[in-house]
Amino acid sequence: MKTIQKTLLASTVLAFSATQVLAVEWNVSLWGKRRAFTEHVEKLAELVKEKSGGEFTLNISYGGLSKNRENLDGISVGAFEMAQFCAAYHPDKNPTLMVLDLPFLGVETLKQEGDLDMALYQHPEVIKDLARWNATIIMASPLPQYNLAGVGDAPSTLDDFNGLRVRATGGMGEAFKKVGAVPTSVTSSEAYTALESGVVDAVAFAPHAHLSFRTIEIADWWTTNLNPGAVNCPVVVNNDALAALPDEHREALMSSIPAAMERYYEAYQEVYDKWDPALEKNGVEKITLPDEVVSGLQEAAAGPVRDEWIAANEGKIKAQELYDFVKSKLAEMK
């Protein structure tokens, strides 16, 4: 009898241990607060927990695990298993991704931007680039086209951009520099203070970020049609953590991505429903720049910034190939 009891006890312990082994918790490093920009990660966490019966959970932290500029570093050393970052925060660390930040690529819709981002993220050159950081991209965070919210006199001619201090990163920053503006790459969470204190005259954000980081609460004007581009901000996972997932948890994660992205696009539509009322409430004047100003900026910036980026990176990465790939994919989507 004692032998039977010991056997049953051992079996129970083993079964319990096996269950515990299957239970997985991942830490996810985001920043700011919950907003449209993070809704796909929130939805992913919800679906993963549901599909795994609570055995696989994503613990989302907004700034508690890392600074936004250090999320890729945290992923590389396994400080957390999943994170979101913006490539323009550290272009030297992810040079292949910066092709998406080149100005005036011609993206027309948010969905088009998301599909283009994911197509590039699956390019072998990008996979190799991210592997240096022990990272795999699983989702895009496509952003609407940026526009400027600023204080003081709004620009109405190309010459008005000369000396304008603009919070703009990546290729957009380089584009503004071509017409004499002075770009600075303060983080999104620092933008309000920079605008309020006069460190910058204008901030380049997508509408959701102007709302989330409250820049329109102090802005006098917003450009409706500058549309210089956007930054790309992928969601990555640590390669070791991904490889260690049991098959059923990996399936729960990967199969949830399409629905998570659908929630993301819905969230952005909700943002646009709030945008015009928010501008009106805060007394922000909508500025539609003359066509010659927009075309002048495109002519001054798009080609030169592209050529400089390719020249600076060719040999380190397949820069020309990546640019041609992006333009070809975009043409197919249209």
Side-chain angles (χ1 to χ4, degrees), residues 31 66-75 83-98 101 129-130 132-133 135 169-170 185 187 231-234 236 313:
W31 68 89
S66 174
K67 295 179 180 178
N68 49 6
R69 291 181 182 270
E70 297 171 4
N71 272 346
L72 186 57
D73 300 275
I75 283 289
Q84 189 176 32
F85 70 89
C86 293
Y89 285 161
H90 34 60
D92 55 319
K93 293 181 180 179
N94 39 238
T96 58
L97 300 183
M98 295 309 297
D101 284 24
D129 191 16
L130 270 294
R132 297 183 300 124
W133 302 96
T169 58
S185 59
T187 65
V231 296
N232 79 98
C233 303
V236 292
N313 287 281

Side-chain angles (χ1 to χ4, degrees), residues 213-249:
F213 297 105
R214 303 169 42 234
T215 48
I216 59 168
E217 293 180 15
I218 52 175
D220 299 317
W221 50 267
W222 174 73
T223 61
T224 65
N225 65 331
L226 195 56
N227 299 335
V231 296
N232 79 98
C233 303
V235 176
V236 292
V237 296
N238 172 274
N239 284 343
D240 296 330
L242 186 62
L245 278 181
D247 290 344
E248 59 269 34
H249 290 172

Side-chain angles (χ1 to χ4, degrees), residues 110-121:
L110 190 63
K111 181 65 164 57
Q112 196 177 81
E113 179 73 61
D115 290 344
L116 180 64
D117 289 356
M118 284 308 299
L120 181 77
Y121 295 160

Side-chain angles (χ1 to χ4, degrees), residues 9-301:
L9 178 61
S11 299
T12 301
V13 170
L14 286 172
F16 180 76
S17 299
T19 302
Q20 290 299 95
V21 168
L22 289 176
V24 176
E25 290 189 9
W26 275 14
N27 290 319
V28 184
S29 183
L30 308 180
W31 68 89
K33 61 182 181 180
R34 182 170 180 173
R35 57 203 188 280
F37 182 64
T38 63
E39 274 303 296
H40 53 340
V41 183
E42 293 279 359
K43 185 65 175 180
L44 191 69
E46 175 190 322
L47 292 172
V48 163
K49 184 176 182 180
E50 179 184 306
K51 290 182 179 181
S52 67
E55 290 294 339
F56 183 17
T57 55
L58 305 182
N59 299 322
I60 297 173
S61 171
Y62 286 92
L65 296 173
S66 174
K67 295 179 180 178
N68 49 6
R69 291 181 182 270
E70 297 171 4
N71 272 346
L72 186 57
D73 300 275
I75 283 289
S76 70
V77 298
F80 33 81
E81 289 79 19
M82 183 184 294
Q84 189 176 32
F85 70 89
C86 293
Y89 285 161
H90 34 60
D92 55 319
K93 293 181 180 179
N94 39 238
T96 58
L97 300 183
M98 295 309 297
V99 65
L100 291 170
D101 284 24
L102 291 174
F104 302 108
L105 285 174
V107 174
E108 296 171 341
T109 68
L110 190 63
K111 181 65 164 57
Q112 196 177 81
E113 179 73 61
D115 290 344
L116 180 64
D117 289 356
M118 284 308 299
L120 181 77
Y121 295 160
Q122 295 167 51
H123 191 286
E125 191 78 351
V126 173
I127 292 172
K128 182 174 71 174
D129 191 16
L130 270 294
R132 297 183 300 124
W133 302 96
N134 201 22
T136 293
I137 298 175
I138 63 166
M139 288 194 298
S141 307
L143 292 170
Q145 289 289 298
Y146 277 38
N147 269 285
L148 298 179
V151 295
D153 295 330
S156 59
T157 70
L158 208 55
D159 288 341
D160 290 341
F161 284 92
N162 189 37
L164 191 74
R165 295 165 300 169
V166 182
R167 186 275 178 193
T169 58
M172 278 183 295
E174 292 302 313
F176 285 121
K177 189 185 295 185
K178 294 297 181 186
V179 291
V182 183
T184 178
S185 59
V186 297
T187 65
S188 51
S189 57
E190 298 168 331
Y192 179 95
T193 302
L195 188 62
E196 183 182 44
S197 64
V199 171
V200 298
D201 304 306
V203 173
F205 270 157
H208 80 281
H210 281 303
L211 287 171
S212 294
F213 297 105
R214 303 169 42 234
T215 48
I216 59 168
E217 293 180 15
I218 52 175
D220 299 317
W221 50 267
W222 174 73
T223 61
T224 65
N225 65 331
L226 195 56
N227 299 335
V231 296
N232 79 98
C233 303
V235 176
V236 292
V237 296
N238 172 274
N239 284 343
D240 296 330
L242 186 62
L245 278 181
D247 290 344
E248 59 269 34
H249 290 172
R250 184 186 179 97
E251 171 62 20
L253 177 71
M254 304 309 287
S255 68
S256 298
I257 289 173
M261 290 305 302
E262 283 304 310
R263 172 59 198 140
Y264 184 90
Y265 294 122
E266 289 172 2
Y268 270 96
Q269 186 55 55
E270 292 165 10
V271 168
Y272 276 105
D273 291 342
K274 299 174 183 176
W275 180 241
D276 281 341
L279 292 177
E280 185 176 350
K281 176 185 175 183
N282 287 285
V284 179
E285 183 183 2
K286 292 195 284 188
I287 302 296
T288 300
L289 295 165
D291 290 342
E292 60 268 22
V293 174
V294 177
S295 61
L297 185 59
Q298 292 173 341
E299 184 178 342

